[in-house]
């Protein structure tokens, strides 16, 4: 590709190209930006990555990522331990935290059940969720899973697995997103929002 | 942003967000991808960055980036030293090399003259280009600069600076790009391609 640039830069480009959102062309641009801003960008990013590689681990309770185990949320006594929000991945957990509306704890599945990709219950952190529900005095499990086929399959499966434990299993409401124009919404969302309509 | 993720991950995200092509949202996705593929992606990228920070330098002859100085192209005796291709940045040099049609040497300006951004001749590697033309037996200087206002301003300035040295100053042809549909081309390109028409 950039044979003239030497193997070090080529290797950097090919690694950057593996990041989601960066293709071969933008990886080259990113590598150049890094090499041009060596002190402000390249060196700090190199350190931040080494730091993350050395210190960030998976929380043994909920599956989130943090430098401590249990993670800051699991260890926070101010969090309501009787509420568990189940998410697919840590990215969804961060999104919930940014929304700032949830004060319970989390459980990160590490993926979704998928017949197509051959992901069964054993590949996910489901057994540990059932264990937490049994042992931690959980009152409600909120399924914050994506509104996709795999997300809904996983939600149904979890609802069945937790049936009979006495815990209440709920899921996020479906409807028109804030700022959403009806014109731009898909029919499925409009139909769900209509079925779930409430007094104004 | 992701207060629950700890300062290490937040710092990583904010550094990734400074790369061109990555916004705050894709930087979060990239950080998660890195943390999930620690051995295959995070550790190698961390090493590649440290390696680049330690070893890649600017070629004192042409301004390109390489682990050696002079760079591999400037040091290659198989390259035609009587031809110098002037580019704005190393990214353009790499693009020329990928095209594989040029066997001379390069000169990286490090930017373009810009009245708007206050970039004058002294901020660019122009004096060194004039020096190379005087001392290296250069026959032709090919200006491979972008077809923008700043690119053309810079090309005119360089042609004037090099006038009287006896060197031939040329620039890349303008025209319809390979695979270009006339329907999708801007009027300026079509007009230039028409003026520069050749026998079929």
């Amino acid at each position: 590709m950039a044979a003239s640039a030497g193997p070090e830069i080529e290797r950097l480009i090919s690694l950057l190209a593996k990041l989601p959102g960066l293709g071969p062309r933008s990886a080259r641009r990113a590598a150049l930006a890094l090499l041009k801003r060596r002190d402000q960008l390249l060196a700090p990013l190199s350190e931040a990555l080494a730091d993350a590689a050395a210190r960030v681990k998976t929380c043994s309770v909920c599956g989130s990522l943090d430098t401590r185990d249990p993670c800051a949320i699991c260890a926070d006594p101010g969090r309501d331990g009787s509420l568990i929000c189940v998410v697919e991945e840590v990215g969804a957990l961060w999104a919930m935290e940014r929304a700032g509306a949830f004060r319970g704890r989390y459980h990160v599945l590490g993926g979704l059940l998928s017949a197509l990709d051959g992901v069964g219950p054993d590949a996910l952190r489901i057994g540990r969720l059932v264990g937490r529900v049994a042992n931690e005095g959980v009152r409600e499990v909120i399924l914050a899973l994506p509104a996709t086929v795999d997300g809904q399959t996983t939600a149904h499966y979890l609802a069945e697995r937790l049936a009979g434990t006495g815990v209440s299993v709920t899921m996020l409401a479906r409807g028109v997103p804030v700022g959403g124009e009806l014109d731009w919404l898909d029919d499925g969302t409009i139909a769900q929002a209509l079925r779930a309509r409430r007094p104004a």
Side-chain angles (χ1 to χ4, degrees), chain A:
Chain A
M1 176 170 42
S4 59
E8 292 79 8
I9 299 180
E10 278 185 74
R11 179 146 171 278
L12 177 58
I13 293 173
S14 72
L15 284 166
L16 286 170
K18 289 185 186 166
L19 294 178
L22 285 184
R25 186 177 294 260
S26 43
R28 277 198 300 272
R29 280 209 307 146
L32 268 181
L34 284 162
L35 289 165
K36 272 172 38 181
R37 301 178 57 201
R38 216 165 287 206
D39 295 336
Q40 308 97 307
L41 197 49
L42 206 170
L45 182 58
S46 167
E47 277 165 38
L49 286 168
D51 210 35
R55 300 187 51 209
V56 174
K57 34 191 170 280
T58 301
C59 172
S60 57
V61 179
C62 73
S64 180
L65 294 166
D66 202 345
T67 45
R68 44 201 272 197
D69 179 17
C71 72
I73 293 179
C74 283
D76 181 353
R79 292 280 186 153
D80 182 352
S82 71
L83 273 177
I84 290 186
C85 176
V86 175
V87 292
E88 176 188 0
E89 285 295 356
V90 177
L93 186 159
W94 291 351
M96 289 288 299
E97 284 296 287
R98 285 197 302 278
F102 180 68
R103 293 297 302 165
R105 300 216 168 108
Y106 290 95
H107 194 81
V108 180
L109 290 180
L112 296 174
L113 295 179
S114 170
L116 218 59
D117 299 334
V119 181
D122 294 341
L124 305 177
R125 225 173 262 110
I126 289 180
R128 260 177 283 181
L129 172 64
V130 177
R132 288 180 72 186
V133 168
N135 303 323
E136 292 181 16
V138 176
R139 197 164 39 84
E140 180 177 353
V141 171
I142 303 167
L143 304 176
L145 297 173
T148 58
V149 171
D150 287 349
Q152 294 318 290
T153 305
T154 311
H156 279 291
Y157 178 86
L158 290 176
E160 270 180 34
R161 277 288 293 265
L162 296 170
T165 61
V167 76
S168 148
V169 180
T170 61
M171 52 188 275
L172 295 188
R174 306 251 175 269
V176 181
V178 174
E181 302 262 16
L182 288 197
D183 236 18
W184 296 94
L185 275 178
D186 64 295
D187 303 345
T189 300
I190 293 180
Q192 294 212 13
L194 183 66
R195 277 199 297 273
R197 67 192 178 276
R198 331 173 294 175

